Structure formats: structure tokens, C-alpha cells
Amino acid sequence: MRNRYELRGLLGVGSYGRVWAAYDRVLKKLVAVKRINKLFSDLTDCKRILREICILNRLPNHNNIVKLLDCFIDEEQTIENFDTLYLVMDISDSDLRKILKQNVYLTEMHVLTLMYHLLCGILYLHSAGIYHRDLKPANCLVNQNCTVKICDLGLARTNQLTSHVVTRWYRAPELILLQPNYDEKIDVWSIGCIFGELLA
């Protein structure tokens, strides 16, 4: 771990590794550091991680898309033999999945604000020719002021669309019917499913 980052606490454990809150001594703010272990053990997962890095790296800053701040390997590893990768990103207070699980009361204004930010983020991705393809509450980071940042672009694509997309409960009908020619509307359908959950 670089001396630049001071770990503050574990935020969560995902399929790729652990995510920590850390203090960035250069930017002088809290960030999220994702440690990905055994990067090359599964070629499919490795491709998704690298695809996410490439997409986030080429996107200009947008308030509703998580920002990749840094990417590095352990100092004792070399570029020829590393298998652990660190991604440093914006940190958020929570995500929509946690909020929905906690049965937090959301006013109409809360829901409208959350949806506005989510739609702004997906409109920006679509204008860049990117389909997210895995929108769900867990991939919508939320701050206390109800701003939303879309994250986890490992399944995102600009071309070469595949049928392996979207968590089951958020799949559009054309994906359920295995239609090969789909477009950005699959993301809009997923947002509609999220909207329904927020209203429930």
C-alpha cells in the first residue's frame, strides 16, 4: 500500500476483494480503496476489471459517475509478476441497496432527487456510447445530500454486446428473451425497476 493512503476502516467485502476507507494525504480527503487479489486467477473477471479501468479512465469527470482517482500495485511487486491491484475511487456514504434494506423513509422529494441524479448519470454514459448493463441498487452510491454516483462498470460495453448482463431482477424483456440486438433501453428498464423499489 502506498504511503499516500492511510487506511481508516473496512467498508465492505465484494466478489473481487475488500474495499477500505482511506485518507489521501495528497488530495487531503477520504477515498475508497479497493484491493483486488489474485487478479489473473479468472480471465473473465480480469477482463471485467480492466474494462472498468479503461472506461473510467477515458471518461471526463461527471458528478453522477464514480471517479477513478488512482490505480497501483504493491510496492514490493513488479509489473512483470504482480497479482494484486488497488483501485482508488470516490467514497460515498451508502448505496441504494443498503438504504432499501434499512427501510429508510424516503419522501417524494428524496425519490425525485435520487432518480434525477441516476438518470443524469446514465444519460451521460449513453451519450458516450456506453451501456452499463448491470444497473441495480448496489451499483448506485448515495451521499447524504441524495446525490447518486453510478459505479461498477465491469459489465459495461461500447460494442460487442453479449447476453451475459444485468442481475436477474433488473433485466429488460429483450434480455430475458435472449434477443441479441438490444440497446441502451436495457439500462432505462433497470432504472425503472429501481424506481419501483424506491416507491414500494
Side-chain angles (χ1 to χ4, degrees):
M1 175 68 78
R2 286 182 177 173
N3 290 333
R4 171 176 173 173
Y5 303 104
E6 176 190 323
L7 294 183
R8 294 287 177 88
L10 184 66
L11 294 176
V13 179
S15 56
Y16 297 141
R18 296 172 181 262
V19 181
W20 299 82
Y23 181 73
D24 185 333
R25 294 186 175 100
V26 174
L27 297 178
K28 300 189 184 318
K29 68 175 187 175
L30 283 177
V31 295
V33 178
K34 182 190 292 188
R35 177 185 166 130
I36 301 167
N37 298 314
K38 299 179 180 176
L39 177 64
F40 302 105
S41 62
D42 185 300
L43 186 58
T44 300
D45 287 344
C46 182
K47 286 180 179 178
R48 287 178 185 165
I49 293 163
L50 294 178
R51 186 182 304 118
E52 179 175 20
I53 292 169
C54 289
I55 289 174
L56 289 176
N57 207 31
R58 76 179 179 87
L59 285 176
N61 293 343
H62 189 278
N63 290 336
N64 303 117
I65 307 294
V66 72
K67 183 179 178 185
L68 180 64
L69 302 169
D70 195 6
C71 179
F72 61 92
I73 61 175
D74 277 321
E75 292 177 350
E76 62 269 15
Q77 295 181 329
T78 66
I79 200 68
E80 290 83 16
N81 68 2
F82 76 96
D83 67 349
T84 300
L85 184 68
Y86 295 88
L87 303 181
V88 182
M89 299 182 177
D90 293 326
I91 194 167
S92 294
D93 297 318
S94 189
D95 62 54
L96 283 182
R97 180 184 63 178
K98 291 176 185 172
I99 291 172
L100 290 167
K101 276 189 170 183
Q102 293 170 353
N103 288 324
V104 175
Y105 174 70
L106 297 174
T107 66
E108 181 179 334
M109 186 54 67
H110 284 129
V111 174
L112 289 173
T113 304
L114 291 167
M115 289 303 299
Y116 171 77
H117 286 286
L118 185 51
L119 288 166
C120 285
I122 204 62
L123 177 63
Y124 175 72
L125 284 180
H126 289 171
S127 69
I130 298 168
Y131 304 162
H132 187 283
R133 305 193 325 148
D134 194 24
L135 278 173
K136 56 187 176 183
N139 291 340
C140 302
L141 303 178
V142 182
N143 286 314
Q144 288 183 358
N145 61 0
C146 286
T147 55
V148 175
K149 288 182 183 286
I150 296 171
C151 68
D152 199 351
L153 279 78
L155 286 176
R157 291 288 180 101
T158 56
N159 54 26
Q160 296 179 331
L161 302 178
T162 66
S163 60
H164 185 73
V165 295
V166 185
T167 304
R168 180 180 303 148
W169 310 116
Y170 304 93
R171 284 184 190 164
E174 54 267 43
L175 295 175
I176 294 172
L177 296 172
L178 301 177
Q179 294 182 6
N181 299 318
Y182 56 85
D183 57 22
E184 70 277 359
K185 295 183 190 73
I186 65 163
D187 288 337
V188 178
W189 177 277
S190 299
I191 290 175
C193 295
I194 294 170
F195 184 40
E197 286 189 85
L198 291 173
L199 293 176

